[in-house]
Amino acid sequence: MGNIIDLLVPDIGDFAEVPVVEIMVQLGEVLTPDTAVVTLESDKASMEVPAEVTGVVTEILVAEGDLVSEGSLLLRYEKGEGLRGEDSVVEPDKILKQKIVEVQVIKEQTNPLQQSVSVQPEKEKMSMNHGPAGPAVRRLARELGVKLADVSGSGPKGRLQKEDIRAYVKRVMQSGGPQKASYEEPIIDFSAFGPIETSPLSRIQRISGPQLAKNWAAIPHVTSFDEADITEIEAFRRELNQEQPVKLTLLPFMIKAVQNTLQVLPQLNSSLQGGQLIIKKYYHIGFAVDTPGGLLVPVIRDVDKKGLVQIATEVSELALLAREGKLKAEHMQGGTFTISSLGSVGGTHFTPIINAPEVAILALGRSSIKPQWKGSEFIPRQILPLSLSWDHRALDGVTASRFNVHLCRVLADFRRVVL
Ligand code: CAO
């Protein structure tokens, strides 16, 4: 006898009481690993719950419109005899003949945790990975072989419409067919050449990796380099650190100086959308935080309304939340520009990847003492390497260079932030 498998709603993050919008399988249907079984949809996003092992559906325990949360029982399916999991060859006819399926659709009443065998399709949280979409839109996407995650929704709250699917297909066809956003690794047995150790990517890496690859491949990046004289800021910072209890690193000064520069050059505080440049009149600055699980980018909101001490306090609070894995979605949303600093680690210039839908990102290297020619002699100054990556569709090199020049002037004389 095969095992009865309970398919439960996996960990879906902060979402609860999410409606089932589509049941994509029928009783008696053969599921293979990763067959999408049901679609859940919050008011913000959708996700498909997949089967994990091969089997035949014996009971469907929810109906469209039911509200489910993590752990809710969706359906039961039976691992067929002779089927040994993911690697098994599936012979649907044979399996179907072996099964006498009790055709009974039962609404969920039981506590899924009391079932004998329960399978969590993903051990870690699954993400709601695209805007909401109704059953008709999903059907159309399936017919055309379109992955919903690749399409941006034009409806309210990013809801996907049929037109979005058709426009996506048209764009892909006009651009000469689907483009691979990410490089597909060749399968190589490295152990044939020497000892190896294998470790899984973290959840953050698995989510951010494809996004980074997509941004890097899709956005025409140019990186403009510069060097800022931060000698005076460093003296001012040391002075302030003796006067008040909140430790000021260079980063809060950079956040403030960047906000001032964005006010002067607003094209860098923008997003491209539908053939237009949307310039934002608010200044929400994200900063990259290195965490044990990977890179996260919390956002400090309304930097123009905050002073250095408050910004420094928020930087350390958000960095701590990030490292403890406690950042919420709202801490990472709405950014208008990002700063990535490797100054505490070392190195000079590096080329950061733009954090779409933003159009520019600033990377900071480690500052060092360098000789600067001051008319008649070289004098030692504290010099900070700056690298600004910018989207060539949104701005050009002149604007990017002006940004760096203005930023360097503010950093050389921080009194300019109040101008
Ligand atoms: N040059 C020289 N020293 C620098 C510096 C710079 N550009 N930036 C920071 N430092 C110094 C700080 O002043 C501090 O020294 P003191 O204790 O003597 O004052 C020390 O480095 C440690 O700083 P910090 O890391 O505690 O604080 P921070 O505000 O500079 O940075 C944060 C905070 C969260 C940005 C940082 O901890 C971090 O996670 N950085 C990594 C970001 C990252 O991974 N970027 C790469 C993205 S691409 O993969």
Side-chain angles (χ1 to χ4, degrees):
M1 277 292 286
N3 293 323
I4 298 291
I5 309 288
D6 287 349
L7 181 65
L8 309 180
V9 175
D11 184 343
I12 50 175
D14 295 334
F15 296 90
E17 300 282 296
V18 182
V20 174
V21 291
E22 192 178 4
I23 297 171
M24 287 173 277
V25 296
Q26 295 173 352
L27 288 167
E29 190 170 326
V30 177
L31 307 181
T32 54
D34 293 333
T35 304
V37 173
V38 297
T39 305
L40 311 179
E41 184 175 290
S42 75
D43 58 348
K44 293 202 187 89
S46 303
M47 70 168 283
E48 288 168 356
V49 179
E52 197 179 60
V53 297
T54 303
V56 175
V57 180
T58 56
E59 285 177 62
I60 297 174
L61 296 139
V62 284
E64 287 177 5
D66 282 1
L67 298 180
V68 295
S69 304
E70 182 189 345
S72 299
L73 181 56
L74 297 169
L75 57 76
R76 292 201 175 98
Y77 60 113
E78 186 172 355
K79 269 175 87 175
E81 284 170 284
L83 297 174
R84 289 177 303 279
E86 298 194 5
D87 298 332
S88 307
V89 177
V90 183
E91 296 174 49
D93 289 348
K94 189 173 162 199
I95 299 163
L96 285 170
K97 276 182 212 147
Q98 287 171 350
K99 307 293 160 200
I100 303 167
V101 178
E102 291 291 322
V103 179
Q104 197 185 10
V105 179
I106 311 165
K107 296 280 280 289
E108 183 193 342
Q109 290 149 351
T110 47
N111 176 356
L113 300 176
Q114 290 168 355
Q115 303 303 315
S116 50
V117 183
S118 65
V119 172
Q120 193 77 346
E122 268 259 17
K123 303 279 180 296
E124 295 187 58
K125 284 183 186 179
M126 298 189 65
S127 56
M128 308 286 260
N129 53 4
H130 49 74
V137 173
R138 292 172 176 286
R139 213 165 296 123
L140 179 66
R142 266 204 304 281
E143 277 167 26
L144 298 175
V146 173
K147 272 203 234 157
L148 293 182
D150 290 342
V151 185
S152 308
S154 61
K157 297 182 179 170
R159 191 172 189 85
L160 294 168
Q161 321 274 8
K162 280 187 176 176
E163 303 83 72
D164 298 326
I165 307 288
R166 293 195 186 103
Y168 172 81
V169 172
K170 193 171 168 190
R171 265 199 317 277
V172 169
M173 296 314 289
Q174 283 172 345
S175 67
Q179 310 281 317
K180 282 258 178 260
S182 59
Y183 164 74
E184 277 181 20
E185 311 90 11
I187 306 295
I188 296 170
D189 177 11
F190 296 104
S191 66
F193 307 108
I196 59 166
E197 189 183 304
T198 306
S199 61
L201 290 179
S202 71
R203 176 173 171 268
I204 294 172
Q205 287 173 313
R206 278 186 282 126
I207 293 172
S208 64
Q211 199 56 44
L212 286 165
K214 199 166 156 186
N215 289 347
W216 187 80
I219 300 173
H221 282 68
V222 182
T223 306
S224 303
F225 304 104
D226 216 324
E227 291 186 328
D229 184 338
I230 56 164
T231 315
E232 305 304 331
I233 277 196
E234 283 300 271
F236 184 38
R237 190 170 76 84
R238 276 193 298 276
E239 213 176 295
L240 290 175
N241 276 338
Q242 280 168 4
E243 285 171 12
Q244 49 81 49
V246 177
K247 185 184 170 186
L248 294 170
T249 59
L250 182 63
L251 190 58
F253 291 86
M254 294 305 303
I255 291 174
K256 202 67 198 158
V258 160
Q259 167 254 308
N260 175 276
T261 309
L262 290 172
Q263 276 176 317
V264 175
L265 291 148
Q267 259 172 289
L268 286 94
N269 200 48
S270 71
S271 288
L272 283 164
Q273 202 164 282
Q276 288 177 313
L277 193 67
I278 300 172
I279 292 182
K280 296 150 196 172
K281 303 288 174 74
Y282 50 88
Y283 303 91
H284 298 346
I285 311 294
F287 61 101
V289 182
D290 179 39
T291 79
L295 192 66
L296 287 170
V297 184
V299 173
I300 301 194
R301 313 187 94 75
D302 298 313
V303 168
D304 53 323
K305 303 190 176 90
K306 293 175 181 169
L308 282 173
V309 172
Q310 188 175 351
I311 293 170
T313 308
E314 288 186 31
V315 164
S316 48
E317 284 170 1
L318 288 167
L320 185 67
L321 287 177
R323 289 185 176 126
E324 290 176 344
K326 291 184 183 160
L327 277 184
K328 298 206 168 100
E330 66 252 32
H331 290 132
M332 293 183 279
Q333 286 167 348
T336 60
F337 187 97
T338 298
I339 299 178
S340 177
S341 173
L342 287 177
S344 60
V345 185
T348 56
H349 293 94
F350 63 102
T351 55
I353 298 176
I354 295 167
N355 189 14
E358 296 164 21
V359 298
I361 178 169
L362 181 74
L364 313 180
R366 187 165 184 83
S367 68
S368 60
I369 303 279
K370 284 189 172 183
Q372 297 290 298
W373 184 250
K374 294 287 170 188
S376 56
E377 56 175 347
F378 282 104
I379 52 169
R381 305 292 289 176
Q382 189 84 28
I383 302 298
L384 175 72
L386 302 176
S387 318
L388 178 77
S389 290
W390 45 277
D391 183 339
H392 211 331
R393 298 167 304 174
L395 56 139
D396 53 30
V398 170
T399 311
S401 292
R402 284 194 180 130
F403 181 95
N404 279 349
V405 167
H406 184 90
L407 181 62
C408 288
R409 286 183 77 195
V410 173
L411 292 170
D413 184 351
F414 200 67
R415 290 172 306 180
R416 289 178 182 276
V417 291
V418 293
L419 285 179

